[in-house]
Amino acid sequence: MNTFFETVRETVENLGKEFSRAPELGDAGMAIRVIGEYSAGKTRLVRELIRDLAPAALLPVSSQEVQTRLPLEVTYGETPALQLVRRAWDTEAAQILRELPAFPERKDITDEDPGEMRLRLAVPEPRLTLAEGDGLYEDDTQPKRLFLIDMPGWNSEDDASGADGLELSEDWENLALVYVSHVTRLDSALNQRQLELFLQALNDGTLLRARDRLPLFFLITACPAEERAAVEKKLAERIRARLGDDDKFLVRIAAVDFNAMSAEELTRFRSAFWDHVLLESPSPALEQNSVSRRIENWPEACALRPYFARCADFIARLDALFSRVCATGSYMGGRSMRFFSGLDAPGMVSRARALWYKQLEEPRGLEAITGLALPELPADHPLAPWLEVYWYPRLRGFHERMLAFFTRADQTLGLLTPDIDDLEAWLAERLDDSRRAAGEALPRSFRRMCDSIAGLPEDMPEMRRMATILTLSLLEARYDDAWRRWQWYLNRTADEAPETTDDK
């Protein structure tokens, strides 16, 4: 049979597992696509967005070194992993074919069909998740993985169709589109033609919007700092000439040189990039395994600090009432039956109750005392198992014994009659056991723990507050078990001790 401490420990351990358990994630039907011509810098962009999140061997390599013909979809995963998957279109469930120990070279996957196969790189980037689903189906609000997809270059050596064959698909569910150009080719006839066809596809609906508005991020790579303002202005004019001021498209243009970027500049770029492409995200990012974030975002009804403040007030109010019961050493303030002389039984009861509740400083009587409700948190609170196993039983036992005493006292006063000889002895005989039980209802160790909780800093993060409280409960439960075992041992020793005689 488990001790109290073991039961509390198991509950706390299970809570820890529950908080750290990652939700099941499906594949979102929409994606953020990175498109552009061969060697424009698409892969470099992806590398710079995720380079700190995965081993170097798994990161995509620039097409100037090693390249593939397959789309690369980057998404969320607790542990970095690279896979070859079968997935022809965005809304199709992926079939994992095999794990890859390193980013493959073109020669390693020459037989794979780019229309059927993709590479999937999982990294611990929470922004590549959708907490409440992708919004494509109203009845589907399960957490999902969002995809950043690096598409093969339009005019790569394998693209025989030339500049007009952009291979833009009507099947794409576009949450955002990222168009990448190399600064040295921005003004080339080929690139300008590609940009024209891309913007035309946006206007004629070939490129669908997954949401009402479509964020567009235009990136110009390898651009020297002194040229950026002019280059960005030039591209903005070309885009505006085709799209106008249509608010269906949310345009942002950035000219960068990743080789010259400081760590601080790269951090700012990443933030700006994600903020823009996720402008129309259907749901917030899911903070995987971020117990702290989940707790900090609890609704007000679940917040721990105000709840434990209510508990402290609840205990203090009952303690204050109880402290006045025999504050002068007697139940009726030292008054004898003479105080009730000349009164019949109903008169005695009325005066005794008035005196009793005046002594308790509770003019509203028993109804006010029994109306003190045990503070509780919502039934679906994340700490519900711990509350039910540890916290509530402690408070309920205290509450119930206190109410039992005050109810018994009120009932006892209702039995007063003029023929009672010794009022205090009569009351003590009927109330002492119940008063003793009420006074011992809340273990001293629990009271000390409550004092410690009340003394926690007001600005302590909610995660740390919860962890501290759970740790204190384990210590208190262990102490309580040890104290009870010691009391049992002392009582048994006293019962088994041999009787002594005066002759010994």
Side-chain angles (χ1 to χ4, degrees), residues 49 119 250 258 281 295 390:
L49 290 172
L119 294 173
L250 307 173
F258 288 124
S281 177
I295 292 176
Y390 176 79

Side-chain angles (χ1 to χ4, degrees), residues 131-350:
E132 300 158 9
D134 56 23
L136 294 180
Y137 306 100
E138 291 184 3
D139 60 345
D140 184 3
T141 58
Q142 294 301 305
K144 293 187 182 297
R145 286 179 288 265
L146 180 62
F147 295 94
L148 175 70
I149 303 179
D150 180 10
M151 299 297 294
W154 282 331
N155 58 324
S156 69
E157 61 190 43
D158 295 315
D159 184 1
S161 55
D164 291 347
L166 301 187
E167 299 182 3
L168 304 179
S169 174
E170 296 179 354
D171 295 326
W172 294 351
E173 291 287 351
N174 298 306
L175 180 62
L177 287 167
V178 182
Y179 185 101
V180 183
S181 300
H182 194 280
V183 69
T184 60
R185 297 195 294 275
L186 187 62
D187 293 331
S188 70
L190 176 61
N191 191 68
Q192 290 194 60
R193 175 59 177 160
Q194 287 179 319
L195 177 63
E196 180 73 14
L197 292 173
F198 171 71
L199 297 176
Q200 180 180 327
L202 291 174
N203 272 327
D204 65 21
T206 300
L207 284 174
L208 300 176
R209 303 186 305 275
R211 315 296 293 169
D212 291 337
R213 300 189 299 174
L214 180 63
L216 302 174
F217 196 101
F218 290 86
L219 181 69
I220 306 151
T221 61
C223 186
E226 63 273 13
E227 298 179 17
R228 288 172 193 166
V231 168
E232 290 176 358
K233 180 180 178 182
K234 181 190 300 182
L235 183 56
E237 290 172 351
R238 292 175 184 172
I239 295 169
R240 192 177 302 111
R242 170 60 67 174
L243 297 183
D245 295 322
D246 192 339
D247 63 2
K248 293 184 297 184
F249 304 110
L250 307 173
V251 177
R252 180 167 185 139
I253 301 171
V256 301
D257 182 359
F258 288 124
N259 289 329
M261 268 187 173
S262 66
E264 183 179 349
E265 288 172 329
L266 181 57
T267 297
R268 288 200 300 268
F269 171 80
R270 287 172 177 164
S271 179
F273 175 86
W274 289 118
D275 286 348
H276 187 75
V277 298
L278 296 176
L279 270 174
E280 292 298 294
S281 177
S283 64
L286 184 68
E287 291 291 344
Q288 299 285 344
N289 282 336
S290 177
V291 180
S292 177
R293 183 64 60 87
R294 291 168 61 189
I295 292 176
E296 293 300 335
N297 290 335
W298 277 352
E300 186 176 350
C302 291
L304 295 181
R305 191 177 70 81
Y307 170 70
F308 285 107
R310 294 198 303 272
C311 289
D313 181 66
F314 170 78
I315 293 171
R317 292 183 66 184
L318 285 174
D319 280 346
L321 284 168
F322 192 71
S323 69
R324 300 180 191 117
V325 168
C326 288
T328 61
S330 61
Y331 286 103
M332 297 303 294
R335 292 175 176 81
S336 67
M337 287 299 292
R338 292 179 186 174
F339 184 74
F340 302 97
S341 61
L343 297 175
D344 58 9
M348 285 187 64
V349 169
S350 178

Side-chain angles (χ1 to χ4, degrees), residues 109-127:
I109 48 174
T110 54
D111 296 333
E112 310 299 352
D113 181 359
E116 295 282 337
M117 307 297 185
R118 301 180 182 184
L119 294 173
R120 173 175 291 190
L121 175 58
V123 294
E125 172 53 82
R127 283 175 286 205

Side-chain angles (χ1 to χ4, degrees), residues 8-9 11-13 15-16 19 291-292 295-296 298 302-305 308 381-383 386 390-391 449 452-453 456-457 460-476:
V8 176
R9 178 179 57 77
T11 302
V12 171
E13 287 180 353
L15 277 174
F19 273 118
V291 180
S292 177
I295 292 176
E296 293 300 335
W298 277 352
C302 291
L304 295 181
R305 191 177 70 81
F308 285 107
H381 194 279
L383 289 182
W386 176 84
Y390 176 79
W391 188 258
M449 187 187 75
S452 298
I453 292 173
L456 294 176
M460 174 181 276
E462 200 78 336
M463 172 62 182
R464 187 176 299 174
R465 187 182 305 277
M466 184 193 77
T468 301
I469 290 169
L470 293 179
T471 301
L472 288 173
S473 73
L474 289 172
L475 293 173
E476 194 278 327

Side-chain angles (χ1 to χ4, degrees), residues 318-319 322 397-407 438 447:
L318 285 174
D319 280 346
F322 192 71
F398 171 63
H399 189 210
E400 289 167 0
R401 291 190 183 185
M402 282 288 185
L403 293 190
F405 167 72
F406 285 111
T407 300
R447 288 181 177 276

